[in-house]
Amino acid sequence: MGYFIEKNKQNYYLLKDGETVTSLNYAKWNYNKATISNSAGSIEVKPQGVFKTGVDIYKDGVDKGDLVFNWKGHIKIILEDDKMGEEIFILKPKGFWTRSYELQNENERVLFMLRPKFSWRKFGYDFEVDLDTFSFTKDETSKLEELLAYCVYGINLQMARSAAT
C-alpha cells in the first residue's frame, strides 16, 4: 500500500500501510506554528520573524534547519545533520490543471511526489505519496518520513499565504 497523508481536523497524519508513523499538529487554526511527532521525538516548526519568508526547524530546542520560500513557488528545505552535514532539498510544484509536487535532492533526483486530493467532507487536502520504497534504507526511510511532514507543512503554509493575498 505505501504512504498516505490524511487530514483530521487541523492535523495531518502520515500513514504507512494504514498505521500512523508521523503526525503534524498545528497550534489551533494557525498554519504558521506546528509540531511534528514521530518515533524519533518531537520537532517544532515556526516562522523566523515578521518580515522574513523562511521557517525554522527546531529539534530539541536547537535550530537544525530552514524552509525557504521563493517567488516561483519552490520550497527549499535545508537540514543540518551531525553525520551528513548540510542537506538541501527542493519541493517544486508541477502541473497547472492537476497540481502535484515533487521533492528533489541536490542532485535533482526525485525522491517522491505528492498529489493533493481535496475532500469536501474534511474541507481540506489529503495527499497521495508516490515513491519507490525499495530504494531507501531504514535510516533514509525515517528521514523520508520527516521530509514528508516538512513538505505538507510548507504546502499548507504556501496555500494559506496565497489565499490571504
Coordinates of all heavy atoms in Angstrom, one line a residue, residues 64-137:
K64 N 17.9 23.3 13.6 CA 18.5 22.3 12.8 C 18.2 22.4 11.3 O 18.5 21.5 10.5 CB 18.1 20.9 13.3 CG 18.7 20.5 14.6 CD 20.2 20.2 14.4 CE 20.8 19.6 15.6 NZ 22.2 19.2 15.5
G65 N 17.5 23.5 10.9 CA 17.1 23.6 9.5 C 16.2 24.7 9.2 O 15.8 25.5 10.1
D66 N 15.9 24.9 7.9 CA 15.1 26.0 7.5 C 14.2 25.6 6.3 O 14.6 24.7 5.6 CB 16.0 27.2 7.0 CG 16.8 27.8 8.1 OD1 16.2 28.1 9.1 OD2 18.0 27.9 7.9
L67 N 13.1 26.2 6.2 CA 12.3 26.1 5.0 C 12.3 27.5 4.4 O 12.0 28.5 5.1 CB 10.9 25.7 5.3 CG 10.5 24.2 5.3 CD1 11.2 23.6 6.5 CD2 9.1 24.0 5.3
V68 N 12.7 27.6 3.1 CA 12.8 28.9 2.5 C 11.9 28.9 1.2 O 12.0 28.0 0.4 CB 14.2 29.3 2.0 CG1 14.3 30.6 1.4 CG2 15.2 29.2 3.3
F69 N 11.0 29.9 1.1 CA 10.1 30.0 0.0 C 10.6 31.0 -1.0 O 11.2 32.0 -0.6 CB 8.7 30.5 0.6 CG 8.1 29.6 1.6 CD1 8.4 29.7 2.9 CD2 7.2 28.6 1.2 CE1 7.9 28.8 3.8 CE2 6.6 27.8 2.1 CZ 7.0 27.9 3.4
N70 N 10.3 30.8 -2.3 CA 10.7 31.7 -3.3 C 9.5 32.1 -4.2 O 8.4 31.5 -4.0 CB 11.9 31.3 -4.1 CG 11.6 30.1 -5.1 OD1 10.4 29.8 -5.3 ND2 12.6 29.6 -5.7
W71 N 9.7 33.0 -5.0 CA 8.6 33.6 -5.8 C 8.1 32.6 -6.9 O 7.0 32.8 -7.5 CB 9.0 34.9 -6.5 CG 10.2 34.8 -7.4 CD1 11.5 34.8 -7.1 CD2 10.1 34.6 -8.8 NE1 12.2 34.7 -8.2 CE2 11.4 34.5 -9.3 CE3 9.1 34.4 -9.7 CZ2 11.7 34.3 -10.6 CZ3 9.4 34.2 -11.1 CH2 10.7 34.2 -11.5
K72 N 8.9 31.6 -7.2 CA 8.5 30.6 -8.2 C 7.5 29.5 -7.6 O 7.0 28.7 -8.4 CB 9.7 29.8 -8.8 CG 10.6 30.7 -9.6 CD 11.7 29.8 -10.1 CE 12.7 30.6 -10.9 NZ 13.8 29.8 -11.4
G73 N 7.3 29.5 -6.3 CA 6.5 28.5 -5.7 C 7.3 27.3 -5.2 O 6.8 26.4 -4.7
H74 N 8.7 27.4 -5.3 CA 9.5 26.4 -4.8 C 9.8 26.6 -3.3 O 9.8 27.7 -2.8 CB 10.9 26.4 -5.5 CG 10.8 26.2 -6.9 ND1 11.9 26.3 -7.8 CD2 9.8 25.8 -7.7 CE1 11.5 26.1 -9.0 NE2 10.3 25.8 -9.0
I75 N 10.0 25.5 -2.6 CA 10.3 25.5 -1.2 C 11.6 24.8 -1.0 O 11.7 23.6 -1.4 CB 9.2 24.8 -0.3 CG1 7.8 25.5 -0.5 CG2 9.6 24.8 1.2 CD1 6.7 24.7 0.1
K76 N 12.6 25.5 -0.5 CA 13.9 24.9 -0.3 C 14.0 24.4 1.2 O 13.7 25.2 2.1 CB 15.0 25.9 -0.5 CG 16.4 25.3 -0.4 CD 17.5 26.3 -0.5 CE 17.7 26.8 -1.9 NZ 18.8 27.7 -2.1
I77 N 14.3 23.1 1.4 CA 14.4 22.5 2.7 C 15.8 22.3 3.0 O 16.5 21.5 2.3 CB 13.6 21.2 2.8 CG1 12.1 21.5 2.5 CG2 13.7 20.6 4.2 CD1 11.3 20.2 2.3
I78 N 16.4 23.0 4.0 CA 17.8 22.9 4.4 C 17.8 22.2 5.7 O 17.3 22.8 6.7 CB 18.4 24.3 4.4 CG1 18.3 25.0 3.1 CG2 19.9 24.2 4.8 CD1 18.6 26.5 3.1
L79 N 18.5 21.1 5.8 CA 18.6 20.3 7.0 C 20.1 20.2 7.4 O 20.9 19.9 6.6 CB 18.0 18.9 6.9 CG 16.5 18.9 6.6 CD1 16.1 17.4 6.4 CD2 15.7 19.5 7.7
E80 N 20.4 20.4 8.7 CA 21.7 20.3 9.2 C 21.7 19.0 10.1 O 21.0 18.9 11.0 CB 22.1 21.5 10.0 CG 22.2 22.8 9.2 CD 22.4 24.0 10.0 OE1 22.7 23.9 11.2 OE2 22.2 25.1 9.5
D81 N 22.7 18.1 9.7 CA 22.8 16.9 10.4 C 24.2 16.7 10.8 O 25.1 17.1 10.1 CB 22.3 15.7 9.5 CG 22.2 14.4 10.2 OD1 22.3 14.4 11.4 OD2 21.9 13.4 9.5
D82 N 24.4 16.1 12.0 CA 25.8 15.9 12.5 C 26.5 14.9 11.7 O 27.7 15.1 11.4 CB 25.7 15.4 14.0 CG 25.1 16.4 14.9 OD1 25.2 17.6 14.6 OD2 24.5 16.0 15.9
K83 N 25.9 13.9 11.1 CA 26.5 12.9 10.3 C 26.7 13.3 8.9 O 27.8 13.2 8.3 CB 25.7 11.6 10.3 CG 25.5 10.9 11.6 CD 24.6 9.7 11.5 CE 24.1 9.3 12.8 NZ 23.0 8.3 12.7
M84 N 25.6 13.8 8.3 CA 25.6 14.2 6.8 C 26.0 15.6 6.5 O 26.3 15.9 5.4 CB 24.3 13.9 6.2 CG 23.8 12.5 6.4 SD 24.7 11.3 5.4 CE 24.3 11.8 3.8
G85 N 26.1 16.5 7.5 CA 26.4 17.9 7.2 C 25.1 18.6 6.8 O 24.0 18.2 7.2
E86 N 25.2 19.5 5.9 CA 24.0 20.2 5.4 C 23.5 19.5 4.1 O 24.2 19.3 3.2 CB 24.4 21.7 5.1 CG 23.2 22.5 4.7 CD 23.6 24.0 4.4 OE1 24.0 24.3 3.3 OE2 23.5 24.7 5.4
E87 N 22.2 19.3 4.2 CA 21.5 18.7 3.0 C 20.4 19.7 2.5 O 19.7 20.3 3.3 CB 20.8 17.4 3.4 CG 21.8 16.3 3.7 CD 21.0 15.0 4.1 OE1 20.4 14.9 5.1 OE2 21.1 14.1 3.2
I88 N 20.3 19.8 1.2 CA 19.3 20.7 0.6 C 18.4 19.9 -0.3 O 18.8 19.1 -1.1 CB 20.0 21.8 -0.2 CG1 20.9 22.6 0.7 CG2 19.0 22.7 -0.9 CD1 21.8 23.6 0.0
F89 N 17.1 20.1 -0.1 CA 16.1 19.5 -0.9 C 15.2 20.6 -1.4 O 15.0 21.7 -0.8 CB 15.2 18.6 0.0 CG 16.0 17.5 0.6 CD1 16.5 17.7 1.9 CD2 16.2 16.3 0.0 CE1 17.2 16.7 2.6 CE2 17.0 15.3 0.6 CZ 17.5 15.5 1.9
I90 N 14.6 20.4 -2.6 CA 13.7 21.4 -3.2 C 12.4 20.8 -3.6 O 12.3 19.8 -4.3 CB 14.4 22.1 -4.5 CG1 15.6 22.8 -4.1 CG2 13.4 23.0 -5.1 CD1 16.4 23.4 -5.2
L91 N 11.3 21.4 -3.0 CA 10.0 21.0 -3.3 C 9.4 21.9 -4.4 O 9.3 23.1 -4.3 CB 9.1 21.0 -2.1 CG 7.6 20.6 -2.3 CD1 7.6 19.1 -2.5 CD2 6.8 20.9 -1.0
K92 N 9.1 21.3 -5.6 CA 8.6 22.0 -6.7 C 7.2 21.7 -7.1 O 6.9 20.5 -7.2 CB 9.5 21.8 -7.9 CG 10.9 22.2 -7.8 CD 11.7 21.9 -9.0 CE 13.1 22.4 -8.9 NZ 13.9 22.2 -10.1
P93 N 6.4 22.7 -7.4 CA 5.0 22.4 -7.9 C 5.1 21.9 -9.4 O 5.9 22.4 -10.1 CB 4.3 23.7 -7.7 CG 5.3 24.7 -7.7 CD 6.6 24.1 -7.2
K94 N 4.3 21.0 -9.7 CA 4.2 20.5 -11.1 C 2.8 20.5 -11.6 O 1.8 20.3 -10.8 CB 4.7 19.0 -11.2 CG 6.2 18.9 -10.9 CD 7.0 19.5 -11.9 CE 8.5 19.4 -11.6 NZ 9.3 20.1 -12.5
G95 N 2.6 20.8 -12.9 CA 1.3 20.8 -13.5 C 0.6 22.1 -13.3 O 0.9 22.9 -12.4
F96 N -0.5 22.3 -14.1 CA -1.3 23.5 -14.0 C -2.7 23.2 -13.6 O -3.2 23.7 -12.6 CB -1.3 24.3 -15.3 CG -2.0 25.6 -15.2 CD1 -1.4 26.7 -14.6 CD2 -3.2 25.7 -15.8 CE1 -2.1 27.9 -14.5 CE2 -3.9 26.9 -15.7 CZ -3.3 28.0 -15.1
W97 N -3.4 22.3 -14.3 CA -4.7 21.9 -14.0 C -4.8 20.9 -12.9 O -5.7 21.0 -12.0 CB -5.4 21.4 -15.2 CG -5.5 22.5 -16.3 CD1 -4.8 22.5 -17.5 CD2 -6.3 23.6 -16.3 NE1 -5.1 23.6 -18.2 CE2 -6.0 24.3 -17.5 CE3 -7.2 24.2 -15.4 CZ2 -6.6 25.5 -17.8 CZ3 -7.8 25.4 -15.7 CH2 -7.5 26.1 -16.9
T98 N -3.9 19.9 -12.9 CA -3.9 19.0 -11.8 C -2.5 19.2 -11.1 O -1.5 18.8 -11.6 CB -4.0 17.5 -12.3 OG1 -2.9 17.3 -13.3 CG2 -5.3 17.3 -13.0
R99 N -2.6 19.8 -9.9 CA -1.4 20.2 -9.2 C -0.8 19.0 -8.5 O -1.5 18.1 -7.9 CB -1.8 21.2 -8.2 CG -0.7 21.7 -7.3 CD 0.4 22.5 -8.0 NE -0.1 23.9 -8.1 CZ 0.6 24.8 -8.7 NH1 1.7 24.6 -9.3 NH2 0.1 26.1 -8.8
S100 N 0.5 18.9 -8.6 CA 1.3 17.9 -7.8 C 2.6 18.5 -7.4 O 2.9 19.6 -7.9 CB 1.5 16.6 -8.6 OG 2.3 16.8 -9.7
Y101 N 3.3 17.9 -6.5 CA 4.6 18.4 -6.0 C 5.6 17.3 -6.0 O 5.3 16.2 -5.7 CB 4.4 19.0 -4.6 CG 3.5 20.1 -4.5 CD1 2.1 19.9 -4.3 CD2 3.9 21.4 -4.5 CE1 1.2 20.9 -4.1 CE2 3.0 22.5 -4.4 CZ 1.7 22.2 -4.2 OH 0.8 23.2 -4.1
E102 N 6.8 17.7 -6.4 CA 7.9 16.7 -6.3 C 9.1 17.2 -5.5 O 9.4 18.4 -5.6 CB 8.4 16.2 -7.7 CG 9.1 17.2 -8.5 CD 9.5 16.7 -9.9 OE1 8.9 15.7 -10.4 OE2 10.4 17.3 -10.5
L103 N 9.6 16.3 -4.7 CA 10.8 16.7 -3.9 C 12.1 16.1 -4.5 O 12.1 15.0 -4.9 CB 10.7 16.1 -2.5 CG 11.8 16.6 -1.5 CD1 11.6 18.0 -1.1 CD2 11.9 15.7 -0.3
Q104 N 13.0 17.0 -4.7 CA 14.3 16.7 -5.3 C 15.4 16.9 -4.4 O 15.4 17.8 -3.6 CB 14.6 17.5 -6.6 CG 13.5 17.3 -7.7 CD 13.8 18.2 -8.9 OE1 14.7 19.1 -8.8 NE2 13.1 18.0 -10.0
N105 N 16.5 16.1 -4.4 CA 17.7 16.4 -3.6 C 18.6 17.3 -4.4 O 18.2 17.8 -5.5 CB 18.3 15.1 -3.2 CG 18.9 14.2 -4.4 OD1 18.8 14.7 -5.5 ND2 19.4 13.1 -4.1
E106 N 19.8 17.5 -3.9 CA 20.7 18.4 -4.6 C 21.1 18.0 -6.0 O 21.5 18.8 -6.8 CB 22.0 18.5 -3.7 CG 21.8 19.3 -2.4 CD 23.0 19.3 -1.6 OE1 23.4 18.2 -1.2 OE2 23.6 20.4 -1.3
N107 N 21.1 16.6 -6.2 CA 21.5 16.1 -7.5 C 20.3 16.0 -8.5 O 20.4 15.4 -9.5 CB 22.1 14.7 -7.3 CG 23.3 14.7 -6.4 OD1 24.0 15.6 -6.4 ND2 23.4 13.6 -5.7
E108 N 19.2 16.7 -8.1 CA 18.0 16.7 -8.9 C 17.3 15.3 -9.1 O 16.6 15.1 -10.0 CB 18.2 17.4 -10.2 CG 18.6 18.8 -10.1 CD 18.7 19.6 -11.4 OE1 18.4 19.0 -12.5 OE2 19.0 20.8 -11.4
R109 N 17.6 14.4 -8.1 CA 16.9 13.1 -8.1 C 15.6 13.3 -7.4 O 15.5 13.8 -6.3 CB 17.8 12.1 -7.4 CG 17.1 10.8 -7.2 CD 17.9 9.8 -6.4 NE 17.1 8.6 -6.1 CZ 17.1 8.1 -4.9 NH1 17.8 8.5 -3.9 NH2 16.3 7.0 -4.7
V110 N 14.5 12.8 -8.1 CA 13.2 12.9 -7.5 C 13.1 11.9 -6.4 O 13.2 10.7 -6.7 CB 12.1 12.8 -8.5 CG1 10.7 12.8 -7.9 CG2 12.2 13.9 -9.6
L111 N 12.8 12.3 -5.2 CA 12.7 11.4 -4.1 C 11.2 10.8 -3.9 O 11.0 9.7 -3.7 CB 13.1 12.0 -2.7 CG 14.5 12.5 -2.7 CD1 14.8 13.2 -1.4 CD2 15.5 11.3 -2.9
F112 N 10.3 11.8 -4.1 CA 8.9 11.4 -4.1 C 8.0 12.5 -4.7 O 8.5 13.6 -4.9 CB 8.4 11.0 -2.7 CG 8.5 12.1 -1.7 CD1 7.6 13.2 -1.6 CD2 9.6 12.1 -0.8 CE1 7.7 14.2 -0.7 CE2 9.7 13.1 0.2 CZ 8.8 14.1 0.2
M113 N 6.8 12.1 -5.0 CA 5.8 13.1 -5.5 C 4.6 13.1 -4.5 O 4.2 12.0 -4.0 CB 5.3 12.7 -6.9 CG 6.4 12.9 -7.9 SD 5.8 12.9 -9.6 CE 4.7 14.3 -9.6
L114 N 4.0 14.3 -4.3 CA 2.8 14.4 -3.5 C 1.7 14.9 -4.4 O 1.9 15.9 -5.2 CB 3.0 15.4 -2.4 CG 3.9 15.0 -1.3 CD1 4.2 16.2 -0.4 CD2 3.3 14.0 -0.5
R115 N 0.5 14.3 -4.3 CA -0.6 14.7 -5.1 C -1.7 15.0 -4.1 O -2.3 14.2 -3.5 CB -1.1 13.6 -6.1 CG -0.2 13.5 -7.3 CD -0.8 12.7 -8.4 NE -1.5 11.4 -7.9 CZ -0.8 10.3 -7.8 NH1 0.5 10.2 -8.1 NH2 -1.4 9.2 -7.4
P116 N -2.1 16.3 -4.0 CA -3.1 16.7 -3.1 C -4.5 16.3 -3.7 O -4.7 16.5 -4.9 CB -3.0 18.2 -3.0 CG -2.1 18.7 -4.0 CD -1.4 17.5 -4.6
K117 N -5.3 15.8 -2.8 CA -6.7 15.4 -3.2 C -7.7 16.1 -2.2 O -7.7 15.9 -1.0 CB -6.9 13.9 -3.1 CG -6.0 13.1 -3.9 CD -6.4 13.2 -5.4 CE -5.4 12.4 -6.2 NZ -5.6 12.6 -7.6
F118 N -8.5 17.0 -2.8 CA -9.4 17.8 -1.9 C -10.6 16.9 -1.5 O -11.1 16.2 -2.2 CB -9.9 19.0 -2.7 CG -10.7 20.0 -1.8 CD1 -10.0 20.8 -1.0 CD2 -12.1 20.0 -1.8 CE1 -10.7 21.7 -0.1 CE2 -12.8 20.8 -1.0 CZ -12.1 21.7 -0.1
S119 N -10.9 17.0 -0.2 CA -12.0 16.3 0.4 C -13.0 17.4 0.9 O -12.7 18.1 1.8 CB -11.5 15.4 1.6 OG -12.6 14.9 2.3
W120 N -14.2 17.4 0.4 CA -15.2 18.3 0.8 C -15.7 18.0 2.2 O -16.0 18.9 3.0 CB -16.4 18.3 -0.1 CG -16.1 19.0 -1.4 CD1 -15.8 18.5 -2.6 CD2 -16.1 20.4 -1.5 NE1 -15.6 19.5 -3.5 CE2 -15.8 20.7 -2.9 CE3 -16.3 21.5 -0.7 CZ2 -15.6 22.0 -3.4 CZ3 -16.2 22.8 -1.2 CH2 -15.9 23.0 -2.5
R121 N -15.7 16.7 2.6 CA -16.1 16.3 3.9 C -15.1 16.9 5.0 O -15.6 17.3 6.0 CB -16.1 14.8 4.0 CG -16.7 14.2 5.3 CD -16.8 12.7 5.3 NE -15.6 12.0 4.9 CZ -14.6 11.7 5.7 NH1 -14.6 12.0 6.9 NH2 -13.6 11.0 5.2
K122 N -13.9 16.9 4.7 CA -12.8 17.4 5.6 C -12.5 18.8 5.4 O -11.9 19.5 6.2 CB -11.5 16.6 5.5 CG -11.7 15.1 5.8 CD -10.4 14.4 5.6 CE -10.6 12.9 5.7 NZ -9.4 12.1 5.4
F123 N -13.0 19.4 4.3 CA -12.7 20.7 3.7 C -11.2 21.0 3.8 O -10.7 21.9 4.4 CB -13.5 21.8 4.5 CG -13.6 23.0 3.7 CD1 -14.4 23.1 2.5 CD2 -12.9 24.2 4.1 CE1 -14.5 24.2 1.8 CE2 -13.0 25.3 3.3 CZ -13.8 25.3 2.2
G124 N -10.5 20.1 3.2 CA -9.0 20.2 3.2 C -8.4 19.1 2.3 O -9.2 18.4 1.6
Y125 N -7.1 19.0 2.3 CA -6.4 18.1 1.4 C -5.9 16.9 2.1 O -5.3 17.1 3.1 CB -5.3 18.9 0.7 CG -5.7 19.9 -0.3 CD1 -5.9 21.2 0.0 CD2 -6.0 19.5 -1.6 CE1 -6.3 22.2 -0.9 CE2 -6.5 20.5 -2.5 CZ -6.6 21.8 -2.2 OH -7.0 22.8 -3.1
D126 N -6.1 15.8 1.5 CA -5.3 14.6 1.8 C -4.2 14.5 0.7 O -4.4 15.1 -0.4 CB -6.1 13.3 1.7 CG -7.2 13.2 2.9 OD1 -6.9 13.8 3.9 OD2 -8.2 12.6 2.7
F127 N -3.1 13.8 1.0 CA -2.0 13.7 0.0 C -1.7 12.3 -0.3 O -1.5 11.5 0.6 CB -0.8 14.4 0.5 CG -0.9 15.9 0.7 CD1 -1.4 16.4 1.9 CD2 -0.6 16.7 -0.3 CE1 -1.5 17.8 2.0 CE2 -0.7 18.1 -0.2 CZ -1.2 18.6 1.0
E128 N -1.7 12.0 -1.6 CA -1.2 10.7 -2.1 C 0.3 10.8 -2.3 O 0.8 11.8 -2.8 CB -1.9 10.2 -3.4 CG -3.3 9.9 -3.2 CD -3.9 9.5 -4.6 OE1 -3.2 9.4 -5.6 OE2 -5.1 9.2 -4.6
V129 N 1.1 9.8 -1.9 CA 2.5 9.8 -2.0 C 3.0 8.7 -3.0 O 2.6 7.6 -2.8 CB 3.2 9.6 -0.6 CG1 4.7 9.6 -0.7 CG2 2.7 10.5 0.4
D130 N 3.7 9.2 -4.0 CA 4.3 8.2 -4.9 C 5.8 8.2 -4.7 O 6.5 9.1 -4.9 CB 4.1 8.7 -6.4 CG 2.6 8.6 -6.8 OD1 1.9 7.7 -6.2 OD2 2.2 9.3 -7.7
L131 N 6.3 7.0 -4.3 CA 7.7 6.8 -4.2 C 8.1 5.3 -4.3 O 7.2 4.5 -4.2 CB 8.2 7.3 -2.8 CG 7.9 6.5 -1.6 CD1 9.1 6.2 -0.8 CD2 7.0 7.3 -0.7
D132 N 9.3 5.1 -4.6 CA 9.8 3.7 -4.7 C 10.5 3.4 -3.3 O 11.6 3.7 -3.0 CB 10.9 3.6 -5.8 CG 11.5 2.2 -6.0 OD1 10.9 1.3 -5.4 OD2 12.5 2.1 -6.6
T133 N 9.7 2.7 -2.5 CA 10.1 2.4 -1.1 C 11.3 1.4 -1.1 O 12.0 1.3 -0.1 CB 9.0 1.8 -0.3 OG1 8.5 0.6 -1.0 CG2 7.9 2.8 -0.1
F134 N 11.6 0.7 -2.1 CA 12.6 -0.3 -2.1 C 14.0 0.4 -2.3 O 15.0 -0.3 -2.1 CB 12.4 -1.3 -3.2 CG 11.2 -2.1 -3.0 CD1 10.1 -2.0 -3.8 CD2 11.1 -3.0 -1.9 CE1 8.9 -2.7 -3.6 CE2 10.0 -3.8 -1.7 CZ 8.9 -3.6 -2.5
S135 N 14.1 1.6 -2.7 CA 15.4 2.3 -2.9 C 15.9 3.0 -1.7 O 16.8 3.8 -1.8 CB 15.3 3.2 -4.2 OG 14.4 4.2 -3.9
F136 N 15.2 2.9 -0.6 CA 15.6 3.6 0.6 C 16.0 2.6 1.8 O 15.3 1.6 2.0 CB 14.4 4.5 1.1 CG 14.1 5.6 0.2 CD1 13.0 5.4 -0.7 CD2 14.8 6.7 0.1 CE1 12.7 6.4 -1.6 CE2 14.5 7.7 -0.8 CZ 13.4 7.6 -1.6
T137 N 17.0 2.9 2.5 CA 17.4 2.1 3.6 C 16.5 2.5 4.8 O 15.8 3.5 4.7 CB 18.9 2.3 4.0 OG1 19.1 3.7 4.4 CG2 19.8 2.0 2.8

